[in-house]
Amino acid sequence: MEQFFFSETTRYIFAMWKNAALQSPHICPHRSDINFEALPSEHEANTALLAYIDTDTIIIARCGANITRNLKQDISGHNILAYRDKEKQLYEIDYYERLVKTPAIGFIERQISDINGRKATLSSLHLPMADYNDEVTYLFSICSTHIDGKPIEDPALTIIPQSRVIRSDYMPLDQIIWPRT
């Protein structure tokens, strides 16, 4: 599970999420169990909330300041799959469906580059969250961009549709938060 924690923010958010999960009688924390506005700004800036609408529609419900700055636009309200070509969409659809339907936490790492061809890695941790029907329909996403394992905050670095997945992994919730005590 250690491979899922690539930054201080992932450790902080995961601990908060797991605490909410252990206190919840539901399959995982509800969307309303996490107050995004109350997150320390250095952590909130690297988060996004994804709303799983259906197989090919995953809406970015909210997007932190660092993500918005690195992309040079606010992508809240956009379908995240629209930024991928068809082949990559199929891989990502399978990844997100696994997280929502299992349910599970997930980790995905992409190689990205800027307009000058400089390579970097975008790591994302996805934590499932339920709606009021106790169905997983949200993913709390924590992102970090880094070169050689060192976090960077470089507005020139932009994610382009040609980014490629380096690796991904997931862990079902029953291996993380059950049995509850």
Side-chain angles (χ1 to χ4, degrees):
M1 180 147 180
E2 191 62 29
Q3 75 273 17
F4 292 167
F5 304 119
F6 47 82
S7 69
E8 180 184 326
T9 296
T10 55
R11 291 180 191 284
Y12 178 89
I13 301 282
F14 179 78
M16 181 184 65
W17 175 89
K18 186 173 181 181
N19 184 52
L22 291 171
Q23 293 178 23
S24 174
H26 307 287
I27 194 165
C28 62
H30 278 180
R31 156 67 182 94
S32 61
D33 291 342
I34 306 284
N35 181 354
F36 289 88
E37 288 76 24
L39 290 173
S41 61
E42 69 271 18
H43 297 308
E44 187 278 332
N46 295 304
T47 65
L49 182 65
L50 308 179
Y52 183 91
I53 307 300
D54 61 39
T55 301
D56 58 357
T57 308
I58 301 165
I59 301 299
I60 301 159
R62 64 177 290 127
C63 194
N66 287 348
I67 298 168
T68 298
R69 188 189 69 236
N70 288 345
L71 294 173
K72 296 182 186 66
Q73 64 177 325
D74 183 1
I75 57 173
S76 297
H78 295 216
N79 183 354
I80 196 168
L81 297 174
Y83 294 92
R84 313 280 187 255
D85 62 32
K86 283 291 184 195
E87 182 181 314
K88 291 179 181 83
Q89 280 183 9
L90 295 176
Y91 182 89
E92 297 215 11
I93 287 169
D94 180 60
Y95 170 80
Y96 289 119
E97 275 191 333
R98 186 177 308 145
L99 301 185
V100 169
K101 295 189 184 204
T102 301
I105 67 168
F107 169 81
I108 194 165
E109 202 170 65
R110 294 179 180 84
Q111 183 178 61
I112 60 175
S113 61
D114 66 9
I115 57 174
N116 299 315
R118 184 175 58 166
K119 303 279 188 241
T121 303
L122 172 68
S123 299
S124 301
L125 175 66
H126 296 101
L127 305 170
M129 301 185 79
D131 62 16
Y132 288 107
N133 294 321
D134 205 24
E135 295 177 15
V136 175
T137 55
Y138 295 100
L139 295 168
F140 190 176
S141 178
I142 306 98
C143 303
S144 176
T145 305
H146 45 96
I147 296 176
D148 298 326
K150 296 177 186 150
I152 59 170
E153 292 186 13
D154 184 350
L157 201 61
T158 56
I159 301 168
I160 55 175
Q162 292 77 22
S163 68
R164 69 178 181 86
V165 173
I166 300 169
R167 66 187 177 112
S168 66
D169 198 1
Y170 75 102
M171 183 175 290
L173 292 186
D174 61 1
Q175 295 178 22
I176 301 166
I177 58 176
W178 286 287
R180 297 174 194 217
T181 55

